[in-house]
Amino acid sequence: MTPLPTPLTGVVPPVCTPLTPDNEVDVASLERLVDHLVGAGVDALFVLGSSSEAAYLPDGHRATVVSTVVRHVAGQLPVLAGAIDMTTLRVLDHVRAAAAAGAAGAVVTAPFYTRTHPAEIARHYRLVAERGGLPVLAYDLPVSVHTKLDPELVLELAGEGTLAGLKDSSGDDGALRRVILGTRARTGDAPSFSVLTGSELTVDSALAMGADGVVPGLGNVDPDGYVRLYRAARAGDWQRARAEQERLCALFRMVYVGSPARMGGSSASLGAFKAALHLRGVIAHPTTAAPQIPLSPEETEQVGKHLAAAGLL
Amino acid sequence: MTPLPTPLTGVVPPVCTPLTPDNEVDVASLERLVDHLVGAGVDALFVLGSSSEAAYLPDGHRATVVSTVVRHVAGQLPVLAGAIDMTTLRVLDHVRAAAAAGAAGAVVTAPFYTRTHPAEIARHYRLVAERGGLPVLAYDLPVSVHTKLDPELVLELAGEGTLAGLKDSSGDDGALRRVILGTRARTGDAPSFSVLTGSELTVDSALAMGADGVVPGLGNVDPDGYVRLYRAARAGDWQRARAEQERLCALFRMVYVGSPARMGGSSASLGAFKAALHLRGVIAHPTTAAPQIPLSPEETEQVGKHLAAAGLL
Amino acid sequence: MTPLPTPLTGVVPPVCTPLTPDNEVDVASLERLVDHLVGAGVDALFVLGSSSEAAYLPDGHRATVVSTVVRHVAGQLPVLAGAIDMTTLRVLDHVRAAAAAGAAGAVVTAPFYTRTHPAEIARHYRLVAERGGLPVLAYDLPVSVHTKLDPELVLELAGEGTLAGLKDSSGDDGALRRVILGTRARTGDAPSFSVLTGSELTVDSALAMGADGVVPGLGNVDPDGYVRLYRAARAGDWQRARAEQERLCALFRMVYVGSPARMGGSSASLGAFKAALHLRGVIAHPTTAAPQIPLSPEETEQVGKHLAAAGLL
Amino acid sequence: MTPLPTPLTGVVPPVCTPLTPDNEVDVASLERLVDHLVGAGVDALFVLGSSSEAAYLPDGHRATVVSTVVRHVAGQLPVLAGAIDMTTLRVLDHVRAAAAAGAAGAVVTAPFYTRTHPAEIARHYRLVAERGGLPVLAYDLPVSVHTKLDPELVLELAGEGTLAGLKDSSGDDGALRRVILGTRARTGDAPSFSVLTGSELTVDSALAMGADGVVPGLGNVDPDGYVRLYRAARAGDWQRARAEQERLCALFRMVYVGSPARMGGSSASLGAFKAALHLRGVIAHPTTAAPQIPLSPEETEQVGKHLAAAGLL
């Protein structure tokens, strides 16, 4: 396996999980998707995150995904794996499985489903880091976890070596900046803690603030766009970065195509990404996992219009 | 196995999961706890629910719990098993494992962690019921799931045969009553759908409204009390039921002993139940699963005082 | 004015505020509504609560409501007034206005809109009680206030004389019972603190637990029903109380008539109560205050069917 | 009065409301604060927002604030006034009072305390705009209102002329960008709708995205800093803007000085701003309105250290 760079930087797409119509992992499509992403020049891959429908995948599917992707990238890039589960011991099972399959790091949320406390969140991350055998990145996703990670707690866990990074999908860029500035204050010019934003619409901002990289769900659909955006930002060409970001903001509107009267937000956004990948010929089926509601043909057509407007069809 | 009565009635304690100090299932203690409950005259057992720390138990632990309890009750009582996980396919894995281990029914929440929709909740329950091989009871636990089950949806799923019952831990007794009255309107004198309350403090009320039974976490500590309460209510002796309930309300205050400045609500309430079972000599260790925070010796002493005041020490 | 009984007991309807089509207080209809309630034998009146659309009424409207009702009941019954506003000084203005207009007590929520803390909630109630010139009842309405009053805090404020009572519209009957039992433990046979439930569907249960009275929004529509229910419970005829309660549960289903696709929960429930009062000939217009969405003619017809089924048309 | 520019741009501090120890408006301090802000070169003033403790101020205080500030700025700058209340008719009372006192625009939240619906939010803004006599800016503050304004609804209300602008304190810079890009798509080079961010920590980002201005609570303490930041951004000197922003991020940490074990977030942040203004000699008392908890002397000393580190003492 390729070890986790310290810090991890660049474009790290959260890889969608292609499924067959009967909800099995479509391995051939997954390999094509990996090729599509690697070919665009991304810096690492993140499997089993929210965009991967990790919450919908049984352990067997999860194992297939990690081993398929690790084998297929064959050491070209590091592969991070989400270890999405409710509490410490369950998360540890996933982390160990990911380590055994060759993942370079684990992405872990605070406990959920249970009524928790900051002291329990800290203990959770410490136990997972000590016993899991992989570097741990905290995954801040309040819309799912129903707890926002406190920037001070993240910095404390970073400072003591428990956390190797943060994947921030909270949408709270003020809190993201607190972590970036706190990390810089601690480590100066020798950073090892990686701050990644999961917010597709504010990547140029996050990079301007000092974020190390980006984990964009929409990067499945248009990895080239995010790679161009990242490279423009790193080159200091903020005007070009902004123009690319605004193009991607327009493209992102595909996630509002699915009717909120008929389906939840996961169905709409994951359904749009998969419909787009299907329309672009990357994956064989646009199927999302049960119990999600599929896009209608009209909604899929709207996704196609967004692709066409972005020059991707 | 003992099949699920239609409807299931009576006292159905959600069985705590005794753990060793290193967080393995303490099988001997679990068997003693089952004896303690069965000996008190309960009507069924519910393993792998919230009071069982299901959210904290890896699949290996879960399997040990179901097989231990099913084997130990040896057909005297039906055993329900929680299938606590985020979405349909993951839940189905748990339901099938429980079915294979001899459980009589599965208790299933709405999807969580994901952003969901009523149509997805309905699809979830239908798929789990069709494919899992066990009767399904809906588990309404908004504090964990962050969705309240709509009484109309529950009644619709009951009417079509998808759901065999409801385990209502929402604390919303108005909504509970809507389900009870809706069920009675549909089935009249031949009810098959079972409405169980998980609210320890209002069991007499729920039974007076027409609930079929009760799933009290505190019933681990004092199963005799809940059996007396249930029998008094069934005998129409509401005054005695109320007196027993009020005694149990006083006992329940043990769950507020753990300091909210140091720990979350799960640690405090499960910690109190396990401390009480340990003090009563039923289980060997009061250990709760990681990352929960243990009660302090002073807090444990307070639990003891509550037991003594209730005549249980 | 009639002073507040200690404790206040019985049926205390939260009086709807009839409006003209241009959103002025319809004084004549309000007087008829008061007659309708007083004639049914209620024990006190509560104006400017949630069912009164207090959140929608400017101060001028509020003043008209209190003075109209106090004058019209002419000392036959005590009149409580809601003092619904965000924080202490604003609430105090409302409490003083209500005192000047002859109200017997003020009903006050925890601070809302601001980010608050239990110590601030306690300070809020203490200041309002010390400086407002009226007995204060706490109003627990988490759906609006976004804070649940902690039973222990309520008991502490009751014990020190800050609070004269609790109007519990939280729907959490376990917490309600904690307050009832805590009050009884403190005051024994000489209670002065009044515990009132605002949950229309579980009044028999709350009275069986020991609640002092009920504040049912649906009591505007069918005050006779709630008076019969209350009297049956006080007479110990729980079977008759339950039958009356179940009839009222069926009637309450009118609040689900308004389409959630078109309107919020306030529009639907207050719209149904006012449509029913209009259909019963008590008020001149079913108008709800801006920006609520009116019921459609078809929805109003459904309300009429609920009335007819309950024998109220 | 000075009319509202279309669009309003620049630094628009939400003016704190200095209070005497007995919670009256400290007019002399308020005038000094206005001088402090105007002298720094801000572009407009916003009174009666969250940082002004509007939720804590009775109507008499509110009237004093608007008339004092309008009179004191004497036409040099436009003055916006918050009209913070639960629903339409109450908000209209505040808007009309602000119009009569010479405010140039009203800042209005969605309905709160009530259970609402997007159609009701739209109707609310339309009625307030039609009948209030002032241009209306939407105030998006989910932490207080418990509803996030949908960017699509904001754009619809902007397009039809109902809204003159948005004051976004949601912290959701992805949604902010959707409004900015949607506005640009509609109005091109002749914008009239003003997008203002209320997020103190991401002002450089918001301006880079195309926001028109900023409403920083921390701007009370260091208006010069925000003016420099704004001017650097407008001059295209993003490196200097970022450096200024990072200095302000460090200063902002004063809001975490107040102990969350003793007080809520409003007490801590407003208490810190007022302590800082007091230490800088701008206002006579650091008093925050009841029922907020004051900072301790040690906490105030910490605020002083933040000021000193920023070169403001």
Side-chain angles (χ1 to χ4, degrees):
Chain A
M1 69 161 230
T2 310
L4 193 69
T6 48
L8 175 65
T9 60
V11 178
V12 187
V15 186
C16 282
T17 306
L19 298 175
T20 62
D22 59 349
N23 274 354
E24 295 299 324
V25 178
D26 176 351
V27 170
S29 288
L30 178 56
E31 292 176 346
R32 276 198 305 275
L33 175 55
V34 167
D35 291 340
H36 166 70
L37 299 171
V38 173
V42 304
D43 300 280
L45 296 175
F46 170 36
V47 298
L48 301 183
S50 297
S51 296
S52 321
E53 297 173 88
Y56 297 91
L57 302 181
D59 289 358
H61 289 51
R62 291 184 181 198
T64 302
V65 167
V66 182
S67 63
T68 299
V69 172
V70 167
R71 188 186 61 236
H72 198 69
V73 300
Q76 300 170 77
L77 297 177
V79 177
L80 300 178
I84 307 303
D85 218 314
M86 294 169 257
T87 58
T88 310
L89 301 182
R90 293 186 64 81
V91 167
L92 275 167
D93 275 1
H94 298 297
V95 173
R96 287 171 186 141
V107 186
V108 173
T109 71
F112 55 90
Y113 186 87
T114 69
R115 290 174 290 158
T116 192
H117 183 276
E120 292 165 4
I121 297 172
R123 194 175 172 221
H124 175 67
Y125 280 117
R126 285 173 187 141
L127 288 168
V128 172
E130 283 165 19
R131 301 185 188 174
L134 280 181
V136 174
L137 289 86
Y139 194 172
D140 193 16
L141 187 66
V143 73
S144 292
V145 175
H146 299 282
T147 302
K148 166 86 185 95
L149 287 180
D150 180 346
E152 297 307 315
L153 178 59
V154 171
L155 289 168
E156 179 188 339
L157 295 171
E160 72 190 30
T162 294
L163 292 180
L166 170 69
K167 196 266 189 193
D168 183 349
S169 296
S170 71
D172 181 345
D173 283 348
L176 177 75
R177 193 164 212 164
R178 289 175 61 195
V179 175
I180 291 169
L181 295 177
T183 299
R184 193 194 302 162
R186 180 172 59 84
T187 62
D189 291 339
S192 58
F193 183 80
S194 176
V195 182
L196 308 172
T197 180
S199 299
E200 283 103 334
L201 305 185
T202 57
V203 177
D204 55 342
S205 306
L207 295 173
M209 286 178 197
D212 298 291
V214 53
V215 188
L218 184 65
N220 283 280
V221 178
D222 189 10
D224 303 275
Y226 280 100
V227 169
R228 284 193 300 268
L229 163 51
Y230 180 76
R231 291 179 183 169
R234 280 292 166 261
D237 186 348
W238 295 105
Q239 200 161 350
R240 203 172 137 211
R242 180 179 164 184
E244 191 68 46
Q245 175 69 79
E246 292 183 354
R247 196 185 61 82
L248 290 162
C249 287
L251 182 63
F252 186 75
R253 293 172 59 196
M254 70 170 60
V255 307
Y256 306 112
V257 154
S259 166
R262 286 199 308 118
M263 68 185 71
S266 298
S267 294
S269 57
L270 301 176
F273 293 162
K274 286 187 149 181
L277 286 168
H278 182 234
L279 290 168
R280 295 199 73 191
V282 179
I283 67 177
H285 311 281
T287 309
T288 50
Q292 291 173 93
I293 305 292
L295 297 190
S296 70
E298 294 72 27
E299 290 165 344
T300 299
E301 199 182 313
Q302 288 300 111
V303 171
K305 285 182 182 169
H306 281 293
L307 287 176
L312 297 174
L313 260 201
Chain B
M1 68 160 231
T2 312
L4 194 69
T6 47
L8 176 65
T9 61
V11 178
V12 187
V15 186
C16 283
T17 307
L19 298 175
T20 63
D22 58 349
N23 274 355
E24 295 300 324
V25 178
D26 176 350
V27 170
S29 288
L30 178 55
E31 292 176 346
R32 275 198 305 275
L33 175 54
V34 167
D35 290 340
H36 166 70
L37 299 171
V38 173
V42 305
D43 299 280
L45 295 175
F46 170 36
V47 298
L48 302 183
S50 296
S51 296
S52 322
E53 298 173 87
Y56 297 92
L57 302 181
D59 289 358
H61 289 51
R62 293 185 180 197
T64 301
V65 167
V66 182
S67 63
T68 298
V69 173
V70 167
R71 187 185 61 236
H72 198 69
V73 300
Q76 300 171 76
L77 296 177
V79 177
L80 300 178
I84 307 304
D85 219 313
M86 294 170 257
T87 58
T88 310
L89 301 183
R90 293 187 63 82
V91 167
L92 275 168
D93 274 1
H94 298 296
V95 174
R96 288 170 186 141
V107 186
V108 173
T109 71
F112 55 91
Y113 187 88
T114 68
R115 290 174 289 156
T116 191
H117 182 277
E120 293 165 4
I121 297 173
R123 193 174 174 221
H124 175 67
Y125 279 117
R126 285 173 186 141
L127 289 169
V128 171
E130 282 166 19
R131 301 186 188 174
L134 281 182
V136 174
L137 289 85
Y139 194 171
D140 193 17
L141 188 65
V143 73
S144 292
V145 175
H146 299 280
T147 304
K148 167 86 185 95
L149 287 180
D150 181 348
E152 297 306 315
L153 177 59
V154 170
L155 290 167
E156 178 186 340
L157 294 171
E160 72 190 31
T162 294
L163 292 180
L166 170 69
K167 196 268 190 191
D168 182 350
S169 296
S170 71
D172 181 345
D173 283 348
L176 177 75
R177 194 165 211 162
R178 289 174 62 194
V179 175
I180 291 169
L181 295 177
T183 300
R184 193 193 303 161
R186 181 172 60 83
T187 62
D189 291 341
S192 58
F193 183 80
S194 176
V195 181
L196 308 173
T197 179
S199 299
E200 284 103 333
L201 305 186
T202 57
V203 176
D204 56 342
S205 306
L207 294 173
M209 286 179 197
D212 299 291
V214 53
V215 187
L218 184 65
N220 283 280
V221 179
D222 189 10
D224 304 275
Y226 280 99
V227 168
R228 285 193 299 269
L229 164 50
Y230 180 76
R231 291 179 183 170
R234 281 292 166 261
D237 186 348
W238 294 105
Q239 200 162 351
R240 203 172 137 211
R242 181 179 164 184
E244 191 68 45
Q245 174 69 78
E246 293 184 354
R247 197 185 60 82
L248 290 162
C249 288
L251 182 63
F252 186 74
R253 291 172 61 197
M254 71 170 60
V255 307
Y256 307 112
V257 154
S259 165
R262 287 200 307 119
M263 68 184 71
S266 299
S267 295
S269 58
L270 301 176
F273 293 162
K274 287 188 149 181
L277 286 168
H278 182 233
L279 291 169
R280 295 199 74 191
V282 180
I283 66 176
H285 312 280
T287 309
T288 50
Q292 289 172 93
I293 306 292
L295 297 191
S296 70
E298 295 72 26
E299 289 164 347
T300 300
E301 200 181 312
Q302 288 299 112
V303 171
K305 285 182 182 169
H306 281 294
L307 287 177
L312 298 175
L313 258 201
Chain C
M1 71 161 231
T2 310
L4 193 69
T6 45
L8 176 65
T9 61
V11 178
V12 187
V15 186
C16 282
T17 306
L19 298 175
T20 62
D22 58 348
N23 273 358
E24 296 299 324
V25 178
D26 176 350
V27 170
S29 289
L30 178 55
E31 292 176 347
R32 276 197 305 274
L33 175 55
V34 167
D35 291 341
H36 167 69
L37 299 171
V38 173
V42 304
D43 299 281
L45 296 175
F46 171 35
V47 298
L48 302 182
S50 296
S51 296
S52 320
E53 296 174 89
Y56 296 92
L57 302 181
D59 289 357
H61 289 52
R62 292 185 180 197
T64 300
V65 166
V66 182
S67 63
T68 297
V69 172
V70 167
R71 188 185 62 237
H72 198 69
V73 299
Q76 299 171 77
L77 297 177
V79 177
L80 300 179
I84 306 304
D85 219 314
M86 294 169 256
T87 58
T88 311
L89 301 182
R90 292 187 63 82
V91 167
L92 275 168
D93 275 1
H94 297 296
V95 174
R96 288 172 186 139
V107 186
V108 172
T109 70
F112 55 89
Y113 186 86
T114 68
R115 290 174 289 157
T116 193
H117 183 276
E120 293 166 4
I121 297 173
R123 193 175 172 220
H124 174 68
Y125 279 117
R126 286 174 186 139
L127 288 168
V128 171
E130 282 166 18
R131 301 184 188 174
L134 281 181
V136 173
L137 289 85
Y139 194 172
D140 193 16
L141 187 66
V143 72
S144 293
V145 174
H146 299 281
T147 304
K148 167 87 184 94
L149 288 179
D150 179 348
E152 296 307 315
L153 178 59
V154 170
L155 288 168
E156 178 187 341
L157 295 171
E160 72 191 29
T162 295
L163 291 180
L166 170 69
K167 194 266 189 192
D168 182 349
S169 296
S170 70
D172 181 344
D173 283 349
L176 177 76
R177 193 164 213 164
R178 289 175 60 195
V179 175
I180 291 169
L181 294 178
T183 299
R184 193 193 301 163
R186 182 173 57 82
T187 63
D189 292 340
S192 59
F193 184 81
S194 177
V195 181
L196 309 172
T197 179
S199 299
E200 282 102 334
L201 305 185
T202 56
V203 176
D204 56 342
S205 307
L207 295 173
M209 287 178 197
D212 298 290
V214 52
V215 187
L218 185 65
N220 283 279
V221 177
D222 189 9
D224 304 277
Y226 279 99
V227 168
R228 283 194 300 268
L229 163 51
Y230 181 76
R231 291 180 183 169
R234 280 293 166 260
D237 186 348
W238 294 106
Q239 200 161 351
R240 204 173 136 209
R242 180 179 165 184
E244 191 69 46
Q245 175 68 77
E246 293 183 352
R247 198 186 57 84
L248 290 162
C249 288
L251 182 63
F252 186 75
R253 292 173 58 197
M254 68 170 60
V255 308
Y256 306 111
V257 153
S259 165
R262 286 199 310 117
M263 68 184 72
S266 299
S267 295
S269 59
L270 301 176
F273 293 162
K274 286 187 149 182
L277 286 168
H278 182 234
L279 291 168
R280 296 200 72 193
V282 180
I283 66 176
H285 312 281
T287 309
T288 51
Q292 290 172 93
I293 306 292
L295 297 190
S296 69
E298 294 71 28
E299 289 165 345
T300 299
E301 199 182 313
Q302 289 299 112
V303 171
K305 286 181 181 169
H306 281 293
L307 287 176
L312 297 175
L313 258 201
Chain D
M1 71 158 230
T2 311
L4 194 69
T6 45
L8 176 64
T9 61
V11 178
V12 187
V15 186
C16 282
T17 305
L19 298 174
T20 63
D22 58 348
N23 273 357
E24 295 299 323
V25 178
D26 176 349
V27 170
S29 288
L30 178 55
E31 292 177 347
R32 276 198 304 275
L33 176 54
V34 167
D35 291 341
H36 167 69
L37 299 171
V38 173
V42 304
D43 299 280
L45 296 175
F46 170 36
V47 297
L48 302 182
S50 296
S51 296
S52 321
E53 295 173 90
Y56 296 92
L57 303 181
D59 289 357
H61 289 52
R62 292 184 180 197
T64 301
V65 166
V66 182
S67 63
T68 297
V69 172
V70 167
R71 187 184 62 234
H72 198 69
V73 300
Q76 299 170 76
L77 297 177
V79 177
L80 301 178
I84 307 303
D85 219 314
M86 293 169 258
T87 57
T88 312
L89 302 182
R90 293 186 64 82
V91 167
L92 276 168
D93 275 1
H94 297 297
V95 173
R96 287 169 186 142
V107 186
V108 173
T109 71
F112 55 91
Y113 187 87
T114 68
R115 290 175 288 157
T116 193
H117 183 277
E120 293 167 3
I121 296 173
R123 193 175 173 220
H124 175 68
Y125 279 117
R126 286 171 186 141
L127 288 169
V128 172
E130 282 165 19
R131 301 186 188 173
L134 281 181
V136 173
L137 289 86
Y139 194 172
D140 192 16
L141 188 65
V143 72
S144 292
V145 174
H146 299 281
T147 304
K148 168 87 185 93
L149 287 179
D150 180 347
E152 297 308 314
L153 178 59
V154 170
L155 289 168
E156 177 187 340
L157 295 171
E160 72 191 30
T162 294
L163 291 180
L166 170 69
K167 196 265 189 194
D168 181 349
S169 296
S170 70
D172 181 345
D173 284 348
L176 177 76
R177 193 165 212 163
R178 288 174 62 194
V179 175
I180 290 169
L181 294 178
T183 300
R184 193 193 301 162
R186 180 173 58 83
T187 62
D189 292 340
S192 59
F193 183 81
S194 177
V195 181
L196 308 173
T197 178
S199 298
E200 284 102 334
L201 305 185
T202 56
V203 177
D204 55 342
S205 306
L207 294 172
M209 286 177 195
D212 298 290
V214 52
V215 187
L218 184 65
N220 283 278
V221 178
D222 190 9
D224 303 276
Y226 280 99
V227 169
R228 283 194 299 268
L229 163 50
Y230 181 76
R231 290 180 183 169
R234 280 292 166 262
D237 186 348
W238 294 105
Q239 198 162 354
R240 203 174 137 210
R242 179 178 165 185
E244 191 67 47
Q245 175 68 79
E246 293 184 354
R247 197 185 59 82
L248 290 162
C249 288
L251 182 62
F252 186 76
R253 293 172 57 196
M254 69 170 61
V255 308
Y256 306 112
V257 154
S259 165
R262 287 200 309 119
M263 68 184 72
S266 299
S267 294
S269 58
L270 301 176
F273 292 163
K274 286 187 149 181
L277 287 168
H278 182 233
L279 289 168
R280 295 198 73 192
V282 179
I283 68 175
H285 312 282
T287 310
T288 50
Q292 291 172 92
I293 305 292
L295 297 190
S296 70
E298 294 69 29
E299 290 165 345
T300 300
E301 200 182 314
Q302 288 300 111
V303 171
K305 285 181 182 168
H306 282 293
L307 287 176
L312 297 175
L313 258 200

